[in-house]
Amino acid sequence: MTYELYIGDRTFSSWSLRGWLMLEKFGLPYQAHMVGLYTGTMQADLAHLTPARTVPVMRTAEGYVLTDSLAMAETLAENHPNANLYPPDPAARALARSITAEMHSGFHALRSACPMMLNFCWQEFEVSQAVQQDLHRIEELWSLARTRHGSDGPWLFGAYSLADVFYAPVAMRMTAYGLPVSDASRAYVDAHLNDAAFLAWRKAAMKEVHEPFPYQLPLERKPWPGDRN
């Protein structure tokens, strides 16, 4: 069973990163296709995948088209019960599903003010009260998951799960905008930054060219962690 995955620009498309991680991290067979998210060809590129309008999009071996990342996640968990996309423990699985769904539907202030961007980091980004509230809630959820179920590993529930997939772009936002978080949250962010799959994604992203560069801010820049000046 090979999945067809359609993704947008790796540098900016947080939802594409989620779609890719849920296949890549669990060793599921897939073939990735790039969609012109920032070049204006997305509608044409997705025309054969009705009713898709955004990325990511996943098509199963049977030809079923899934146009939402959470629908993709639940389908993969259903199709591959032994892959442990969600934690096997029922209590952990319930919490993982809950915080994954909350990420999928919430934190609009953070997502609006801090688009995912992997090229460099901004200095002295001003954090609004609404963004701070989102950060507080995210850290609350991370702490709850790690305290109850994640003490034996670097991820929210010990082993990597779909919850980590959905919060990976949050870690990138915290990094790119220098958002204030606790030491425990910073350690979790660092686990994402040093993950081999993410490093491969970012390496590919750095080959992309965007003219003009979207999401500009009137701020000084500094290198992404691990990059040279």
Side-chain angles (χ1 to χ4, degrees):
M1 177 184 290
T2 298
Y3 297 94
E4 300 289 329
L5 178 69
Y6 295 79
I7 58 175
D9 304 60
R10 294 177 179 88
T11 307
F12 307 107
S13 183
S14 59
W15 292 106
S16 293
L17 174 58
R18 292 181 176 99
W20 183 79
L21 284 173
M22 66 180 70
L23 291 161
E24 176 71 17
K25 287 291 293 183
F26 295 96
L28 304 180
Y30 70 95
Q31 183 175 2
H33 307 274
M34 295 299 298
V35 171
L37 179 59
Y38 286 87
T39 59
T41 65
M42 183 166 68
Q43 185 175 358
D45 294 341
L46 298 179
H48 64 296
L49 296 167
T50 305
R53 294 193 303 172
T54 58
V55 287
V57 181
M58 186 179 77
R59 182 164 58 187
T60 69
E62 298 84 2
Y64 308 143
V65 175
L66 294 113
T67 63
D68 177 89
S69 58
L70 190 57
M72 291 169 52
E74 292 294 336
T75 298
L76 293 174
E78 179 181 275
N79 289 349
H80 303 277
N82 295 325
N84 291 330
L85 278 79
Y86 282 119
D89 175 73
R93 187 164 62 248
L95 181 58
R97 274 198 160 102
S98 294
I99 69 173
T100 296
E102 185 165 346
M103 177 64 254
H104 180 264
S105 62
F107 308 118
H108 299 292
L110 173 64
R111 287 153 59 178
S112 177
C114 305
M116 190 179 83
M117 187 276 301
L118 304 179
N119 295 73
F120 49 81
C121 300
W122 296 111
Q123 296 193 69
E124 298 183 2
F125 176 79
E126 186 173 343
V127 180
S128 69
Q129 183 177 359
V131 170
Q132 188 61 63
Q133 289 174 344
D134 277 354
L135 292 173
H136 177 76
R137 175 60 176 172
I138 289 167
E139 290 200 87
E140 181 180 50
L141 295 176
W142 288 1
S143 177
L144 179 64
R146 299 186 76 185
T147 299
R148 287 185 179 178
H149 306 288
S151 60
D152 59 343
W155 305 109
L156 293 177
F157 294 87
Y160 195 91
S161 75
L162 285 171
D164 301 299
V165 166
F166 274 72
Y167 283 94
V170 174
M172 306 314 140
R173 287 176 162 96
M174 289 176 172
T175 301
Y177 295 86
L179 302 180
V181 295
S182 68
D183 290 344
S185 292
R186 182 60 57 191
Y188 176 61
V189 168
D190 288 345
H192 282 287
L193 294 178
N194 293 302
D195 181 65
F198 169 70
L199 291 173
W201 174 275
R202 185 170 183 268
K203 182 178 180 179
M206 292 304 94
K207 297 177 182 178
E208 298 173 354
V209 177
H210 301 90
E211 293 291 346
F213 192 87
Y215 310 124
Q216 289 283 5
L217 292 175
L219 300 173
E220 295 294 323
R221 304 176 180 183
K222 64 179 181 180
W224 189 267
D227 288 357
R228 295 181 179 178
N229 288 307

